[in-house]
Amino acid sequence: MRQTHNYTVDFLDFDPDGKGNERLWRACKPAAITTAANGDLLVTVPFQAQKQTTEIAADTTIPRKDYTLRLRAYGDKILRFSIGIDEEVAEESLMLELDPALTIHPLSYEIKGETWVVTDFKGVKKAVFDLSNPVLDHWSDLLPAPDETLNVVFYPDGKKAVPISAYDQFQPARHDAMALAFVEKEGVADRMTTAFHAAADEIFCGTGERFAKLDLSGKTLQLENQDGQGVNSRRTYKNIPFYLSGKGYGAFMHTSAYTKLSLADISTRSVQWMVEQPCVDLFLIGGDSPEEILRGYRQLTGFPTMPPLWSFGTWMSRMTYFSADEVETICNRLRKEDYPCDVIHLDTGWFKTDWLCEWKFNDERFPDPEGFIKGLKDNGFRVSLWQLPYIAFAAEQLKEAVDNNYICKVQGERATDGSNFGALDYAGTIDFTYPAAVEWYKGLLKKLLDMGVVCIKTDFGEDIHLDADYHSMAPKLLHNLYALLYQKAAYEITKEVVGDGIVWARAGWAGCQRYPLHWGGDAACSWDGLAGSLKGGLHLGLSGFGFWSHDVPGFHSVPDFMNSVISDELYVRWTQFGVFSSHLRYHGTSKREPYEFPNISGIVRKWLKLRYALIPYLLEQSKKTTETGYPVLRALIFHHLDDKMCQHIDDQYYFGDDIMVAPVMNDHNHRDIYLPKGQWVNLFSGKFSEGGHWLHNYECPLDEMPVWVKAGVKLSLYPEAVSCTDEMDMEKVIKVKMDESFHGIFKTLSYLEK
């Protein structure tokens, strides 16, 4: 569809001709202010109907409507701004998991002439409502005077101003943004918009797993979960209605509805939200650093929990292993050839029919599942299993699911949903809004977990049957939230049975970070796939998620989806990236085991041993992730927000507090690298470097990686070779100081060279 370059048409999806019986209502000056018994501030905001044209003009033949805007302060740095149009704003939801330490601070106000100054009980300024008219020097009646609008500046942390976009316009009839407005459809409020001022040099990031440059300024995003079909498009598996501004605040729109977010794109002067719901419930989060802002976000939506020790080891998988014999042969060879590994994952082929998910092992190819799983565990391998949340027409559970309303009631005879690998039809989506269906699903998983399985891959979940009825939620509100309900159920039963809380999840929405861990979806086995994966992981870490992984060395080959050859260089470089990620899993459409790449298998063995040497450090950083706003894998701006260079770098990252990583993403063995300010020690050579400059065309042989550690820190390392984490004794962990005595990790841990 061609853009009209008209704000109301392009951003609000508005029908200005009236054919859809739609009408725009704009907020006017506040009419009254008062405080509620619980300390909230209540502001009466009149809305004026606009004429049904692309020219914005008040229709004064229609009486104004008054609605209540509510302000609430949580702690010192979070301000909640909410308003519902003929609909109550939900105080709680599954997305929210408020930190008990996050107390409500009562608000009060003082009227000073034509301004209302809002403060908390400590006297800290939280908002200023400006009721004055624009200052004019009248000389022409060519155009009408501007209409009334809502003009307010918020101060979520009491310091940084977050102004609403009151006058983003060319002239009074031509707007590029609106402070607050709603669209009425057939007489009923249908969707809302609000906007905040964007500075000319303001950067934005977050919003979920965005496969894009670090600075998202100039983009309009549709926050609606989809099968991303790779990591190089606008489609994405994980959309989070949260952005982080380089000006020192974050904004979380508390909704699961389809949301459109323009980050200085529709108008370079504004950040604009449009929510397909007749309410706005926005949390503004202040802070002095990205970590502090994201800690505030996690205080609202939940902190990541700590994954188990074994999960930090190597995961081995492909799509797919088909029999117990095949799996045992692979595991035995990994052990015999000294590739450390903790988890073997069975993807789509462990059922009676490949891809036909019935939560049961094929009794011919896996005749003794309990014995099979126990034997692997005795050899140091834990088992992870793939499944999905849709019931196939051929599944043996279909009748039970339909008879008991465990799946949605699809309108019409058939609906298709599911895989990209063909026209696989599904009878319905498991209805996680129905408690009985949740318990039924948990029961399916419990039988597997009781056998000794330790992790469920909660694949898919981005899409649901939208032409269907669900127990307690409309499909349009369930769509994005579905991933949270799905992963919560699998996580809870795994935690209950196994004792370890973990899933391996692809989709995501606000709150999903509570149930680690998530991976980056079906990346192409290419340098583009590697680069796109990293970008997605950086933005996800700037969206509240703490633990994240990706398929090494990409999921699907190109141009032949299943069968193109993966280069040795890509396999090694992606392995290195995996070693310096929170979790490391090999997976894809063809052979993934390192011994299948004989020319570089020795290099890979060394790198997998390095991974296990780093696990003590990784455990320390992971614990920090569960208590702060930090992810394990961090964009450079977490530590260098004021460095304008770091505001745009999306191919380097921090691995925890102390390690800076610059993956090589080409087959030339060189790249440009930016060393931020400070003293750095090369992890492989031990050479010291002063930061604050570029290393152009930095050469790096295939068996090394550009990795630096902050000078003077002590890295926690494991000093002995192990085949899996069961063999690790944390009493043996050593501290290696990054000083003149350090001559490189391979010399320090000589067993890595063997």
Side-chain angles (χ1 to χ4, degrees):
M1 180 186 296
R2 281 192 178 187
Q3 292 184 346
T4 66
H5 303 296
N6 180 282
Y7 156 71
T8 55
V9 176
D10 290 343
F11 188 66
L12 298 184
D13 300 324
F14 185 65
D15 176 7
D17 299 323
K19 295 175 183 176
N21 197 17
E22 292 191 335
R23 187 176 291 276
L24 180 66
W25 292 75
R26 287 186 62 212
C28 305
K29 285 182 187 178
I33 186 170
T34 187
T35 53
N38 68 344
D40 289 357
L41 197 78
L42 307 178
V43 179
T44 302
V45 179
F47 283 75
Q48 177 68 62
Q50 306 297 301
K51 294 178 180 178
Q52 290 176 303
T53 67
T54 55
E55 300 288 299
I56 304 300
D59 188 342
T60 56
T61 65
I62 299 176
R64 292 182 173 186
K65 297 180 180 181
D66 289 345
Y67 296 97
T68 300
L69 184 155
R70 181 182 295 266
L71 284 184
R72 178 181 296 170
Y74 292 91
D76 295 322
K77 303 197 176 194
I78 300 176
L79 194 63
R80 188 176 189 176
F81 154 63
S82 58
I83 185 169
I85 308 300
D86 301 324
E87 179 178 293
E88 289 291 322
V89 174
E91 283 287 314
E92 300 177 351
S93 80
L94 289 164
M95 289 170 276
L96 297 181
E97 188 174 88
L98 297 186
D99 186 339
L102 205 59
T103 56
I104 295 175
H105 285 193
L107 297 173
S108 58
Y109 66 92
E110 183 180 0
I111 298 177
K112 297 182 177 181
E114 293 183 297
T115 61
W116 299 344
V117 180
V118 180
T119 57
D120 67 10
F121 73 98
K122 297 179 180 179
V124 176
K125 182 170 60 177
K126 291 294 181 178
V128 176
F129 289 83
D130 184 355
L131 277 66
S132 65
N133 293 319
V135 177
L136 304 177
D137 181 10
H138 184 80
W139 73 279
S140 173
D141 292 318
L142 179 64
L143 293 171
D147 285 334
E148 291 181 40
T149 187
L150 177 68
N151 192 1
V152 57
V153 180
F154 298 108
Y155 299 87
D157 63 356
K159 297 179 291 186
K160 298 181 186 70
V162 184
I164 209 159
S165 228
Y167 296 107
D168 189 343
Q169 60 190 56
F170 173 64
Q171 46 108 321
R174 305 282 177 87
H175 286 251
D176 289 324
M178 290 183 183
L180 188 63
F182 69 90
V183 175
E184 194 176 68
K185 186 174 183 177
E186 297 180 354
V188 178
D190 182 71
R191 53 198 183 275
M192 287 202 75
T193 185
T194 190
F196 295 90
H197 177 69
D201 62 344
E202 194 165 354
I203 67 165
F204 303 95
C205 46
T207 77
E209 185 184 44
R210 203 62 52 195
F211 309 123
K213 296 291 186 182
L214 192 65
D215 179 12
L216 297 174
S217 178
K219 286 187 175 291
T220 295
L221 307 170
Q222 299 184 72
L223 304 183
E224 181 177 45
N225 283 353
Q226 295 175 281
D227 186 328
Q229 299 177 33
V231 297
N232 296 102
S233 78
R234 290 185 297 176
R235 299 178 300 268
T236 183
Y237 311 92
K238 306 170 192 68
N239 290 273
I240 311 299
F242 168 87
Y243 69 79
L244 180 72
S245 164
K247 294 300 181 183
Y249 80 96
F252 166 51
M253 183 66 76
H254 177 218
T255 184
S256 62
Y258 169 84
T259 299
K260 195 183 291 186
L261 175 60
S262 175
L263 299 167
D265 178 28
I266 297 290
S267 166
T268 61
R269 295 173 291 207
S270 297
V271 177
Q272 302 170 64
W273 296 89
M274 190 276 284
V275 183
E276 283 195 351
Q277 200 173 7
C279 65
V280 162
D281 189 15
L282 189 68
F283 292 83
L284 295 171
I285 308 165
D288 295 327
S289 67
E291 182 276 326
E292 192 174 2
I293 294 165
L294 282 159
R295 191 190 327 146
Y297 172 76
R298 287 179 178 173
Q299 285 184 294
L300 294 170
T301 61
F303 286 80
T305 54
M306 185 72 173
L309 168 62
W310 55 260
S311 73
F312 295 101
T314 308
W315 298 49
M316 189 59 62
S317 173
R318 67 168 89 154
M319 196 193 79
T320 180
Y321 301 134
F322 284 104
S323 71
D325 289 344
E326 181 184 19
V327 172
E328 289 166 350
T329 298
I330 287 168
C331 290
N332 288 337
R333 186 167 179 185
L334 289 170
R335 286 286 180 262
K336 180 180 179 182
E337 299 189 17
D338 196 22
Y339 298 102
C341 186
D342 267 78
V343 185
I344 193 79
H345 171 74
L346 279 62
D347 218 58
T348 64
W350 60 281
F351 311 112
K352 183 177 180 180
T353 303
D354 188 19
W355 276 95
L356 179 56
C357 176
E358 295 179 300
W359 293 274
K360 287 186 176 182
F361 280 93
N362 181 301
D363 57 10
E364 293 181 358
R365 292 183 280 111
F366 297 89
D368 178 16
E370 292 92 338
F372 163 70
I373 294 168
K374 183 181 183 304
L376 291 174
K377 179 62 171 64
D378 291 343
N379 197 16
F381 290 94
R382 289 164 172 84
V383 173
S384 165
L385 293 179
W386 178 92
Q387 48 84 82
L388 44 60
Y390 316 116
I391 302 296
F393 283 99
E396 70 170 56
Q397 294 92 354
L398 177 61
K399 186 177 187 306
E400 179 187 13
V402 171
D403 290 348
N404 292 281
N405 297 318
Y406 294 152
I407 60 175
C408 64
K409 296 179 179 178
V410 179
Q411 306 299 320
E413 292 184 4
R414 290 174 75 84
T416 59
D417 195 15
S419 170
N420 298 316
F421 298 94
L424 297 181
D425 295 343
Y426 292 97
T429 302
I430 297 175
D431 187 354
F432 289 108
T433 72
Y434 182 32
V438 173
E439 292 307 309
W440 174 75
Y441 171 73
K442 286 183 175 181
L444 295 173
L445 300 189
K446 186 176 186 301
K447 293 176 182 177
L448 300 167
L449 298 166
D450 283 340
M451 292 180 183
V453 172
V454 297
C455 180
I456 300 299
K457 180 177 174 180
T458 47
D459 204 356
F460 293 89
E462 301 87 7
D463 294 306
I464 64 172
H465 288 89
L466 292 170
D467 55 342
D469 294 325
Y470 294 84
H471 184 265
S472 57
M473 192 175 291
K476 72 174 188 175
L477 295 180
L478 177 60
H479 179 187
N480 288 323
L481 193 62
Y482 189 81
L484 178 62
L485 299 173
Y486 172 31
Q487 292 158 24
K488 179 176 185 289
Y491 177 95
E492 287 177 344
I493 190 62
T494 304
K495 177 79 171 173
E496 176 186 325
V497 176
V498 180
D500 293 327
I502 190 169
V503 293
W504 192 276
R506 191 173 76 172
W509 191 255
C512 282
Q513 74 275 0
R514 303 194 295 259
Y515 310 112
L517 57 103
H518 294 75
W519 101 99
D522 298 339
C525 301
S526 67
W527 300 114
D528 294 329
L530 176 52
S533 293
L534 176 54
K535 289 175 181 177
L538 292 179
H539 279 294
L540 197 65
L542 287 159
S543 305
F545 285 68
F547 301 99
W548 172 82
S549 187
H550 42 89
D551 290 342
V552 180
F555 175 71
H556 71 92
S557 52
V558 284
D560 187 302
F561 192 88
M562 303 291 290
N563 304 304
S564 290
V565 174
I566 297 168
S567 73
D568 289 347
E569 291 80 8
L570 181 68
Y571 190 96
V572 171
R573 293 304 189 188
W574 210 313
T575 291
Q576 293 169 346
F577 175 36
V579 165
F580 286 95
S581 299
S582 88
H583 288 78
L584 167 64
R585 185 183 78 154
Y586 290 87
H587 182 62
T589 56
S590 57
K591 296 173 181 177
R592 289 295 184 268
E593 299 76 27
Y595 52 73
E596 298 289 354
F597 296 80
N599 293 332
I600 43 89
S601 59
I603 295 176
V604 174
R605 181 184 296 108
K606 181 168 66 173
W607 275 84
L608 295 185
K609 289 184 176 184
L610 174 59
R611 169 66 179 195
Y612 281 73
L614 289 166
I615 283 179
Y617 170 79
L618 183 51
L619 290 173
E620 293 171 352
Q621 300 305 315
S622 296
K623 187 175 187 299
K624 190 168 189 174
T625 290
T626 67
E627 299 169 345
T628 65
Y630 284 122
V632 173
L633 189 146
R634 307 171 191 168
L636 299 187
I637 59 171
F638 269 99
H639 299 283
H640 307 281
L641 181 61
D642 294 333
D643 186 333
K644 287 189 178 293
M645 199 69 72
C646 292
Q647 293 178 0
H648 301 277
I649 292 176
D650 52 32
D651 59 357
Q652 298 177 213
Y653 62 92
Y654 271 87
F655 183 59
D657 290 337
D658 303 318
I659 299 176
M660 199 276 291
V661 183
V664 175
M665 293 186 280
N666 59 62
D667 55 8
H668 309 309
N669 292 333
H670 62 76
R671 58 159 292 167
D672 291 342
I673 296 164
Y674 182 70
L675 279 183
K677 286 183 179 179
Q679 266 209 324
W680 297 93
V681 180
N682 186 287
L683 185 64
F684 297 97
S685 69
K687 181 181 177 182
F688 275 67
S689 295
E690 193 68 37
H693 62 90
W694 283 93
L695 304 176
H696 291 290
N697 209 27
Y698 180 86
E699 292 285 343
C700 187
L702 188 61
D703 63 346
E704 292 186 11
M705 184 185 194
V707 178
W708 282 265
V709 186
K710 290 179 181 176
V713 305
K714 293 181 178 179
L715 282 188
S716 296
L717 299 171
Y718 201 76
E720 300 175 359
V722 295
S723 60
C724 65
T725 56
D726 289 344
E727 299 175 2
M728 299 180 81
D729 176 1
M730 292 304 165
E731 295 296 320
K732 296 181 178 180
V733 171
I734 61 172
K735 298 278 189 178
V736 177
K737 190 171 183 180
M738 297 294 110
D739 59 15
E740 291 78 6
S741 66
F742 178 74
H743 300 294
I745 190 71
F746 292 143
K747 290 183 179 179
T748 300
L749 302 177
S750 58
Y751 72 86
L752 295 176
E753 293 282 17
K754 295 179 181 178

